[in-house]
Amino acid sequence: MASRDMAKRAVSRGASDAPTAPKTLTSYTIKLDAAQQAKLRAHCEGRGWERAEVAYTHFAFKSEQARLNVAAYTSGKVVIAGKGTEDFVKNVIEPEITGSAELGYEAERHPEWFEPHAGLDESGKGDFFGPVIAATVIADRAAIEAWREAGAQDSKKMTDGRIVALDKLIRATRGAVVRTCFCKTMARYNTLMSRPRANLNSLLAWQHATALSEALVAKPVAWGLLDQFSEQPLVQRELKKTHAATLPAGFELKMRTKAEEDPVVAAASIVARAEYVRQMHTLSERFGEPLQKGAGPLVKKQAAHLIDKLGAAALGDFAKLHFRTAYEVVSAAGKLDELPLRPPPPKMSQWS
């Protein structure tokens, strides 16, 4: 009996101690030029894949046999999703389309990705409704590898539900540090932005510097990477001006465009967007219907509806009043007496 119990315990230990198999990649995004997209299209058509209708794409296909969806967007990005993603990337995309093996070689090609460092990104900057969120994430190799396995990438490539789920994972990861900075109310945001010489990039630089300095106090690292939003080193200047005493000795904040390729910057983009989604949910409940994201025609229509429902002055409790959209909808409603806004500068002609 004792030996039987010992055997059961041994089997149980063996099952729990066995190494966990790595998760299979189920989503992959890559930039392809026109010639490469043409090759991909020919591959899908040649195998009789079913065409799919996806907005803003040159083409889209799906295959039940390959367990894949492929969408080639007009921006040049190609999104591959489904259980067959990893095999398709390794067996088709890399050998036949790009001629370059990258999947699985990230540590060799980008060793800096896996060093302990800070990643900075923001969300809401181009959205009429809701705040601007600055986020800093600091992580080491173990956290970075776990997030990559979970599919963390630039938040612009994911649904809100997926973003919120990954944000929860990132915040719960042992050893990782997450900090955000944003105006707690839109009224406060609009007050700051109405000050003389105020501009959004300066405010965002202050938010980034604040979130980064708080994160570095909790977990000092040697360097950080910022997804560049200005040609000027605004965040670096703000750090030296207001947070020099809290920075680790020799800390360097680098910046570049498309920094979301770095997994820690990608994590920061997820955290920032998840916080934006939560803030928009709160504002939507207050308004009584879901607020539109972005700054397109639907947003302008909803802003006009908000003015009709709550009055022009209430727009500042939900939206960024320095946007051209604010002046246009308030002016069109004949409510500039209720909410005086400065006329925006004339739009620049493409021939100017």
Side-chain angles (χ1 to χ4, degrees), residues 30-95:
I30 188 171
K31 190 92 170 180
L32 297 181
D33 61 30
Q36 291 169 331
Q37 286 197 23
K39 288 183 183 179
L40 177 59
R41 183 172 195 158
H43 176 92
C44 297
E45 289 176 340
R47 282 152 183 78
W49 286 22
E50 182 183 350
R51 290 181 179 274
E53 293 295 327
V54 179
Y56 309 112
T57 62
H58 291 304
F59 60 85
F61 292 93
K62 57 184 178 180
S63 169
E64 291 187 10
Q65 182 179 2
R67 301 173 299 170
L68 273 181
N69 294 295
V70 174
Y73 288 88
T74 53
S75 64
K77 290 181 180 179
V78 174
V79 178
I80 302 157
K83 292 183 178 179
T85 296
E86 191 166 324
D87 287 341
F88 190 73
V89 172
K90 289 181 177 179
N91 299 329
V92 177
I93 294 294
E94 294 183 343

Side-chain angles (χ1 to χ4, degrees), residues 294-314:
L298 290 178
V299 169
K300 185 178 288 190
K301 182 178 179 180
Q302 190 170 47
H305 172 52
L306 188 152
I307 291 172
D308 288 340
K309 180 179 178 180
L310 302 177

